[in-house]
């Protein structure tokens, strides 16, 4: 990855931050995106302190104009990973339409427009990794729009692999991952979710951010994979 540049939106926390750390440790330069300048500044200082190279700009993945403004400041990139998203999970019976539509707004359209803006600036031998989630392949009760959003992202990845070739486009689909997202939730809710997920998987545990970052770095680097979805889920989607 030395001499290469990756745009990582949502790289200030959780899975995105694990990818940032791996990429920077491999000698790559990172362009970070997140919603808070203060958080970005703290992360840029942390990366520089560890010997890495990074710059960063504020961006809101739920707002198309914000994504366009972010990429106007990016001259060139080799890799794109943009998992930064904030959404709610609501059931088919909910009348809270903002909540119901939020996964598509932030996670689907956010990644769609990030690719739209990045595509003209991507190296022909570069790669995009989209973020979905195992709930797309094996839904849980009460989360139909969220499940559909993840399936849509996987379909988008297959389609973009054709439209953007020779740029490679793949999707990573994690199961439940012990990330900062879960650590911010109440301990009781987290441990109940982790227990039920663990019972539903072949490997009997939740995943780590490092395990997802390994998969993303693999998809950045493997020159003959495109249009695939890689499940990092401990076997959750198996029947
Ligand atoms: N953790 C899991 O169990 C799991 C499982 C399957 C899929 N995923 C997917 O993985 C992605 C990241 O999850 P995570 O666990 O790493 O979460 P996380 O630790 O909460 O990290 C989310 C990151 O995204 C940024 N972000 C949030 N909303 C944003 C927005 N609207 N625009 C730009 N950046 C935004 C956050 O920074 P700021 O708050 O500073 O903006 C932060 O850097 C999500 O798309 C999620 O659906 C996670």
């Amino acid at each position: 990855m030395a001499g290469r540049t990756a745009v990582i939106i949502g790289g200030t926390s959780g899975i995105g931050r694990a990818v940032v750390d791996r990429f920077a440790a491999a000698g790559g330069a990172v362009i970070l995106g997140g919603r808070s300048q203060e958080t970005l500044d703290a992360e840029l200082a942390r990366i520089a302190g560890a010997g890495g190279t990074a710059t960063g700009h504020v961006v809101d993945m739920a707002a198309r104009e914000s994504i366009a403004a972010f990429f106007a400041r990016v001259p060139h990139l080799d890799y794109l990973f943009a998992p930064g998203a904030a959404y709610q999970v609501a059931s088919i019976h909910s009348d809270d339409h903002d909540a119901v539509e939020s996964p598509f707004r932030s996670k689907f359209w956010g990644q769609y427009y990030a690719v739209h803006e990045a595509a003209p600036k991507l190296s022909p031998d570069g790669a995009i990794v989209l973020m979905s989630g195992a709930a797309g392949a094996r839904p849980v009760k009460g989360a139909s729009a969220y499940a559909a959003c993840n399936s849509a992202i996987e379909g988008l990845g297959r389609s973009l692999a054709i439209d953007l070739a020779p740029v490679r486009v793949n999707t990573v689909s994690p199961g439940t991952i012990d990330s900062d997202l879960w650590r911010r939730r109440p301990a009781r809710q987290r441990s109940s979710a982790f227990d039920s997920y663990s019972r539903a998987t072949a490997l009997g545990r939740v995943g780590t951010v490092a395990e997802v970052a390994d998969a993303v770095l693999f998809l950045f680097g493997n020159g003959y994979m495109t249009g695939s979805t890689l499940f990092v889920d401990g076997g959750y989607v198996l029947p």
Side-chain angles (χ1 to χ4, degrees):
M1 299 298 165
R4 309 282 272 175
T5 298
V7 167
I8 303 177
I9 300 176
T12 61
S13 171
I15 296 167
R17 181 165 52 195
V19 173
V20 167
D21 286 348
R22 299 247 158 160
F23 192 77
V30 175
I31 303 177
L32 264 184
R35 290 169 299 178
S36 148
Q37 187 65 56
E38 198 183 340
T39 309
L40 281 175
D41 289 344
E43 281 302 304
L44 293 176
R46 189 186 64 81
I47 296 162
T53 305
T55 54
H57 313 297
V58 166
V59 60
D60 181 357
M61 289 285 280
R64 198 173 65 223
E65 314 72 38
S66 174
I67 296 168
F70 174 91
F71 279 98
R73 303 178 72 179
V74 174
H76 168 81
L77 70 158
D78 301 294
Y79 304 109
L80 173 67
F81 181 55
Y87 51 82
Q88 292 167 269
V89 174
S91 95
I92 189 70
H93 305 298
S94 172
D95 290 321
D96 182 345
H97 304 301
D98 278 347
V100 168
E101 293 175 13
S102 64
F104 270 91
R105 261 201 313 278
S106 191
K107 193 169 171 176
F108 178 85
W109 288 113
Q111 293 191 88
Y112 179 98
Y113 283 112
V115 173
H116 171 75
E117 297 294 341
K121 301 176 177 190
L122 262 162
S123 309
D125 65 345
I128 297 166
V129 177
L130 300 177
M131 169 62 83
S132 68
R138 183 178 169 187
V140 290
K141 197 170 168 58
S144 44
Y146 177 66
C149 171
N150 288 307
S151 301
I153 290 164
E154 291 162 21
L156 177 67
R158 286 189 289 276
S159 177
L160 291 176
I162 294 168
D163 287 353
L164 299 181
V167 171
R168 292 171 291 103
V169 185
N170 293 288
T171 303
V172 66
S173 180
T176 295
I177 303 299
D178 186 4
S179 72
D180 299 306
L181 176 149
W182 283 103
R183 285 169 196 215
R184 287 192 298 271
R185 293 183 181 165
R188 184 180 292 195
Q189 182 191 351
R190 184 172 64 241
S191 87
S192 151
F194 282 12
D195 285 350
S196 70
Y197 184 83
S198 298
R199 281 194 298 276
T201 63
L203 296 185
R205 64 172 177 85
V206 300
T208 68
V209 293
E211 287 164 336
V212 184
D214 276 349
V216 174
L217 268 285
F218 166 73
L219 292 172
F220 278 172
N222 187 293
Y224 203 52
M225 276 192 76
T226 197
S228 288
T229 298
L230 200 52
F231 288 92
V232 184
D233 69 344
Y236 173 76
V237 302
L238 297 172

mmCIF file of all heavy atoms in Angstrom, residues 88-115:
data_model
loop_
_atom_site.group_PDB
_atom_site.id
_atom_site.type_symbol
_atom_site.label_atom_id
_atom_site.label_comp_id
_atom_site.label_asym_id
_atom_site.label_seq_id
_atom_site.Cartn_x
_atom_site.Cartn_y
_atom_site.Cartn_z
ATOM 1 N N GLN A 88 -31.296 4.641 11.912
ATOM 2 C CA GLN A 88 -32.091 3.904 12.892
ATOM 3 C C GLN A 88 -32.644 2.646 12.237
ATOM 4 O O GLN A 88 -32.751 2.593 10.996
ATOM 5 C CB GLN A 88 -33.237 4.778 13.399
ATOM 6 C CG GLN A 88 -32.761 5.953 14.239
ATOM 7 C CD GLN A 88 -33.872 6.952 14.440
ATOM 8 O OE1 GLN A 88 -34.040 7.885 13.682
ATOM 9 N NE2 GLN A 88 -34.655 6.732 15.492
ATOM 10 N N VAL A 89 -32.994 1.705 13.064
ATOM 11 C CA VAL A 89 -33.598 0.475 12.551
ATOM 12 C C VAL A 89 -35.049 0.465 13.021
ATOM 13 O O VAL A 89 -35.307 0.529 14.227
ATOM 14 C CB VAL A 89 -32.827 -0.760 13.077
ATOM 15 C CG1 VAL A 89 -33.520 -2.042 12.665
ATOM 16 C CG2 VAL A 89 -31.385 -0.743 12.545
ATOM 17 N N ALA A 90 -35.977 0.440 12.058
ATOM 18 C CA ALA A 90 -37.399 0.517 12.407
ATOM 19 C C ALA A 90 -38.170 -0.586 11.679
ATOM 20 O O ALA A 90 -37.738 -1.063 10.625
ATOM 21 C CB ALA A 90 -37.944 1.891 12.008
ATOM 22 N N SER A 91 -39.308 -0.961 12.245
ATOM 23 C CA SER A 91 -40.059 -2.084 11.666
ATOM 24 C C SER A 91 -41.044 -1.598 10.605
ATOM 25 O O SER A 91 -41.329 -0.410 10.487
ATOM 26 C CB SER A 91 -40.804 -2.852 12.772
ATOM 27 O OG SER A 91 -42.129 -2.377 12.872
ATOM 28 N N ILE A 92 -41.597 -2.541 9.879
ATOM 29 C CA ILE A 92 -42.579 -2.242 8.825
ATOM 30 C C ILE A 92 -43.825 -1.566 9.418
ATOM 31 O O ILE A 92 -44.565 -0.874 8.710
ATOM 32 C CB ILE A 92 -42.957 -3.539 8.068
ATOM 33 C CG1 ILE A 92 -43.806 -3.255 6.832
ATOM 34 C CG2 ILE A 92 -43.687 -4.527 8.977
ATOM 35 C CD1 ILE A 92 -43.078 -2.580 5.713
ATOM 36 N N HIS A 93 -44.068 -1.740 10.701
ATOM 37 C CA HIS A 93 -45.250 -1.150 11.337
ATOM 38 C C HIS A 93 -45.020 0.282 11.808
ATOM 39 O O HIS A 93 -45.955 0.936 12.251
ATOM 40 C CB HIS A 93 -45.676 -2.022 12.525
ATOM 41 C CG HIS A 93 -45.911 -3.448 12.131
ATOM 42 N ND1 HIS A 93 -46.882 -3.821 11.236
ATOM 43 C CD2 HIS A 93 -45.246 -4.583 12.461
ATOM 44 C CE1 HIS A 93 -46.841 -5.129 11.045
ATOM 45 N NE2 HIS A 93 -45.848 -5.620 11.769
ATOM 46 N N SER A 94 -43.801 0.783 11.700
ATOM 47 C CA SER A 94 -43.494 2.115 12.215
ATOM 48 C C SER A 94 -44.030 3.208 11.281
ATOM 49 O O SER A 94 -43.957 3.093 10.053
ATOM 50 C CB SER A 94 -41.969 2.266 12.346
ATOM 51 O OG SER A 94 -41.655 3.595 12.668
ATOM 52 N N ASP A 95 -44.550 4.285 11.879
ATOM 53 C CA ASP A 95 -44.945 5.467 11.097
ATOM 54 C C ASP A 95 -43.871 6.543 11.146
ATOM 55 O O ASP A 95 -44.093 7.654 10.656
ATOM 56 C CB ASP A 95 -46.265 6.041 11.639
ATOM 57 C CG ASP A 95 -47.423 5.111 11.330
ATOM 58 O OD1 ASP A 95 -47.430 4.535 10.217
ATOM 59 O OD2 ASP A 95 -48.300 4.928 12.204
ATOM 60 N N ASP A 96 -42.731 6.236 11.751
ATOM 61 C CA ASP A 96 -41.627 7.188 11.818
ATOM 62 C C ASP A 96 -40.819 7.050 10.514
ATOM 63 O O ASP A 96 -39.841 6.310 10.435
ATOM 64 C CB ASP A 96 -40.763 6.887 13.049
ATOM 65 C CG ASP A 96 -39.623 7.882 13.197
ATOM 66 O OD1 ASP A 96 -39.329 8.620 12.229
ATOM 67 O OD2 ASP A 96 -39.007 7.896 14.283
ATOM 68 N N HIS A 97 -41.265 7.775 9.489
ATOM 69 C CA HIS A 97 -40.692 7.559 8.155
ATOM 70 C C HIS A 97 -39.236 7.999 8.069
ATOM 71 O O HIS A 97 -38.461 7.434 7.298
ATOM 72 C CB HIS A 97 -41.553 8.270 7.102
ATOM 73 C CG HIS A 97 -42.982 7.820 7.149
ATOM 74 N ND1 HIS A 97 -43.337 6.504 6.972
ATOM 75 C CD2 HIS A 97 -44.135 8.495 7.400
ATOM 76 C CE1 HIS A 97 -44.653 6.385 7.102
ATOM 77 N NE2 HIS A 97 -45.158 7.578 7.369
ATOM 78 N N ASP A 98 -38.870 8.997 8.861
ATOM 79 C CA ASP A 98 -37.462 9.408 8.881
ATOM 80 C C ASP A 98 -36.580 8.249 9.338
ATOM 81 O O ASP A 98 -35.522 7.977 8.767
ATOM 82 C CB ASP A 98 -37.251 10.607 9.818
ATOM 83 C CG ASP A 98 -37.602 11.909 9.127
ATOM 84 O OD1 ASP A 98 -37.754 11.896 7.882
ATOM 85 O OD2 ASP A 98 -37.758 12.926 9.821
ATOM 86 N N ALA A 99 -37.038 7.591 10.416
ATOM 87 C CA ALA A 99 -36.266 6.454 10.931
ATOM 88 C C ALA A 99 -36.241 5.320 9.912
ATOM 89 O O ALA A 99 -35.183 4.740 9.633
ATOM 90 C CB ALA A 99 -36.864 5.976 12.255
ATOM 91 N N VAL A 100 -37.395 5.007 9.335
ATOM 92 C CA VAL A 100 -37.487 3.899 8.382
ATOM 93 C C VAL A 100 -36.535 4.128 7.198
ATOM 94 O O VAL A 100 -35.836 3.214 6.746
ATOM 95 C CB VAL A 100 -38.942 3.752 7.877
ATOM 96 C CG1 VAL A 100 -39.017 2.809 6.689
ATOM 97 C CG2 VAL A 100 -39.845 3.262 9.005
ATOM 98 N N GLU A 101 -36.497 5.371 6.708
ATOM 99 C CA GLU A 101 -35.710 5.655 5.495
ATOM 100 C C GLU A 101 -34.236 5.933 5.786
ATOM 101 O O GLU A 101 -33.419 6.027 4.864
ATOM 102 C CB GLU A 101 -36.327 6.852 4.761
ATOM 103 C CG GLU A 101 -37.701 6.517 4.189
ATOM 104 C CD GLU A 101 -38.383 7.727 3.553
ATOM 105 O OE1 GLU A 101 -37.722 8.758 3.337
ATOM 106 O OE2 GLU A 101 -39.598 7.620 3.284
ATOM 107 N N SER A 102 -33.879 6.073 7.076
ATOM 108 C CA SER A 102 -32.520 6.525 7.397
ATOM 109 C C SER A 102 -31.408 5.580 6.937
ATOM 110 O O SER A 102 -30.348 6.065 6.507
ATOM 111 C CB SER A 102 -32.403 6.833 8.896
ATOM 112 O OG SER A 102 -32.598 5.666 9.670
ATOM 113 N N PRO A 103 -31.563 4.243 6.971
ATOM 114 C CA PRO A 103 -30.459 3.403 6.471
ATOM 115 C C PRO A 103 -30.171 3.662 4.990
ATOM 116 O O PRO A 103 -29.007 3.754 4.585
ATOM 117 C CB PRO A 103 -30.953 1.973 6.685
ATOM 118 C CG PRO A 103 -31.992 2.078 7.750
ATOM 119 C CD PRO A 103 -32.644 3.413 7.533
ATOM 120 N N PHE A 104 -31.222 3.788 4.192
ATOM 121 C CA PHE A 104 -31.003 4.061 2.768
ATOM 122 C C PHE A 104 -30.353 5.425 2.580
ATOM 123 O O PHE A 104 -29.412 5.574 1.798
ATOM 124 C CB PHE A 104 -32.313 3.963 1.972
ATOM 125 C CG PHE A 104 -32.557 2.576 1.446
ATOM 126 C CD1 PHE A 104 -33.275 1.657 2.202
ATOM 127 C CD2 PHE A 104 -32.053 2.175 0.225
ATOM 128 C CE1 PHE A 104 -33.476 0.370 1.730
ATOM 129 C CE2 PHE A 104 -32.255 0.884 -0.254
ATOM 130 C CZ PHE A 104 -32.974 -0.024 0.509
ATOM 131 N N ARG A 105 -30.863 6.445 3.298
ATOM 132 C CA ARG A 105 -30.316 7.807 3.117
ATOM 133 C C ARG A 105 -28.824 7.858 3.419
ATOM 134 O O ARG A 105 -28.034 8.378 2.648
ATOM 135 C CB ARG A 105 -31.043 8.787 4.035
ATOM 136 C CG ARG A 105 -32.131 9.591 3.335
ATOM 137 C CD ARG A 105 -32.473 10.860 4.084
ATOM 138 N NE ARG A 105 -32.664 10.632 5.493
ATOM 139 C CZ ARG A 105 -33.791 10.179 6.037
ATOM 140 N NH1 ARG A 105 -34.837 9.917 5.280
ATOM 141 N NH2 ARG A 105 -33.885 9.996 7.333
ATOM 142 N N SER A 106 -28.441 7.288 4.543
ATOM 143 C CA SER A 106 -27.064 7.441 5.002
ATOM 144 C C SER A 106 -26.157 6.352 4.427
ATOM 145 O O SER A 106 -25.081 6.638 3.901
ATOM 146 C CB SER A 106 -27.071 7.393 6.531
ATOM 147 O OG SER A 106 -25.853 7.761 7.055
ATOM 148 N N LYS A 107 -26.596 5.125 4.491
ATOM 149 C CA LYS A 107 -25.695 4.007 4.158
ATOM 150 C C LYS A 107 -25.726 3.671 2.661
ATOM 151 O O LYS A 107 -24.669 3.472 2.052
ATOM 152 C CB LYS A 107 -26.080 2.783 5.012
ATOM 153 C CG LYS A 107 -25.054 1.667 5.006
ATOM 154 C CD LYS A 107 -25.363 0.616 6.068
ATOM 155 C CE LYS A 107 -24.456 -0.579 5.904
ATOM 156 N NZ LYS A 107 -24.634 -1.589 6.954
ATOM 157 N N PHE A 108 -26.915 3.613 2.057
ATOM 158 C CA PHE A 108 -26.987 3.292 0.618
ATOM 159 C C PHE A 108 -26.653 4.511 -0.235
ATOM 160 O O PHE A 108 -25.676 4.524 -0.986
ATOM 161 C CB PHE A 108 -28.364 2.754 0.221
ATOM 162 C CG PHE A 108 -28.434 2.465 -1.272
ATOM 163 C CD1 PHE A 108 -27.990 1.252 -1.770
ATOM 164 C CD2 PHE A 108 -28.892 3.430 -2.165
ATOM 165 C CE1 PHE A 108 -28.002 1.007 -3.154
ATOM 166 C CE2 PHE A 108 -28.911 3.183 -3.540
ATOM 167 C CZ PHE A 108 -28.471 1.971 -4.030
ATOM 168 N N TRP A 109 -27.441 5.604 -0.111
ATOM 169 C CA TRP A 109 -27.205 6.763 -0.985
ATOM 170 C C TRP A 109 -25.885 7.428 -0.649
ATOM 171 O O TRP A 109 -25.217 7.983 -1.528
ATOM 172 C CB TRP A 109 -28.374 7.745 -0.927
ATOM 173 C CG TRP A 109 -29.587 7.206 -1.625
ATOM 174 C CD1 TRP A 109 -30.770 6.846 -1.057
ATOM 175 C CD2 TRP A 109 -29.721 6.905 -3.029
ATOM 176 N NE1 TRP A 109 -31.632 6.348 -2.020
ATOM 177 C CE2 TRP A 109 -31.008 6.375 -3.228
ATOM 178 C CE3 TRP A 109 -28.861 7.025 -4.129
ATOM 179 C CZ2 TRP A 109 -31.474 5.969 -4.484
ATOM 180 C CZ3 TRP A 109 -29.329 6.626 -5.391
ATOM 181 C CH2 TRP A 109 -30.610 6.113 -5.547
ATOM 182 N N GLY A 110 -25.483 7.359 0.620
ATOM 183 C CA GLY A 110 -24.180 7.908 0.994
ATOM 184 C C GLY A 110 -23.065 7.229 0.211
ATOM 185 O O GLY A 110 -22.206 7.896 -0.394
ATOM 186 N N GLN A 111 -23.068 5.905 0.198
ATOM 187 C CA GLN A 111 -21.999 5.190 -0.524
ATOM 188 C C GLN A 111 -22.150 5.369 -2.036
ATOM 189 O O GLN A 111 -21.162 5.512 -2.760
ATOM 190 C CB GLN A 111 -22.002 3.712 -0.141
ATOM 191 C CG GLN A 111 -21.591 3.501 1.321
ATOM 192 C CD GLN A 111 -21.333 2.044 1.658
ATOM 193 O OE1 GLN A 111 -20.233 1.549 1.508
ATOM 194 N NE2 GLN A 111 -22.356 1.352 2.137
ATOM 195 N N TYR A 112 -23.404 5.383 -2.506
ATOM 196 C CA TYR A 112 -23.632 5.584 -3.948
ATOM 197 C C TYR A 112 -22.996 6.900 -4.400
ATOM 198 O O TYR A 112 -22.243 6.949 -5.381
ATOM 199 C CB TYR A 112 -25.142 5.590 -4.233
ATOM 200 C CG TYR A 112 -25.487 5.806 -5.688
ATOM 201 C CD1 TYR A 112 -25.785 4.729 -6.524
ATOM 202 C CD2 TYR A 112 -25.515 7.085 -6.232
ATOM 203 C CE1 TYR A 112 -26.103 4.922 -7.854
ATOM 204 C CE2 TYR A 112 -25.818 7.291 -7.570
ATOM 205 C CZ TYR A 112 -26.118 6.204 -8.377
ATOM 206 O OH TYR A 112 -26.414 6.415 -9.707
ATOM 207 N N TYR A 113 -23.291 7.988 -3.666
ATOM 208 C CA TYR A 113 -22.769 9.297 -4.107
ATOM 209 C C TYR A 113 -21.283 9.436 -3.821
ATOM 210 O O TYR A 113 -20.590 10.167 -4.538
ATOM 211 C CB TYR A 113 -23.606 10.436 -3.514
ATOM 212 C CG TYR A 113 -24.908 10.566 -4.253
ATOM 213 C CD1 TYR A 113 -26.118 10.256 -3.653
ATOM 214 C CD2 TYR A 113 -24.916 10.944 -5.602
ATOM 215 C CE1 TYR A 113 -27.312 10.331 -4.365
ATOM 216 C CE2 TYR A 113 -26.104 11.020 -6.318
ATOM 217 C CZ TYR A 113 -27.296 10.710 -5.693
ATOM 218 O OH TYR A 113 -28.474 10.775 -6.405
ATOM 219 N N ALA A 114 -20.768 8.739 -2.830
ATOM 220 C CA ALA A 114 -19.310 8.746 -2.632
ATOM 221 C C ALA A 114 -18.632 8.109 -3.846
ATOM 222 O O ALA A 114 -17.634 8.639 -4.367
ATOM 223 C CB ALA A 114 -18.943 8.010 -1.348
ATOM 224 N N VAL A 115 -19.182 7.008 -4.344
ATOM 225 C CA VAL A 115 -18.606 6.373 -5.543
ATOM 226 C C VAL A 115 -18.767 7.296 -6.754
ATOM 227 O O VAL A 115 -17.840 7.473 -7.550
ATOM 228 C CB VAL A 115 -19.260 5.003 -5.807
ATOM 229 C CG1 VAL A 115 -18.782 4.441 -7.147
ATOM 230 C CG2 VAL A 115 -18.957 4.027 -4.677
#
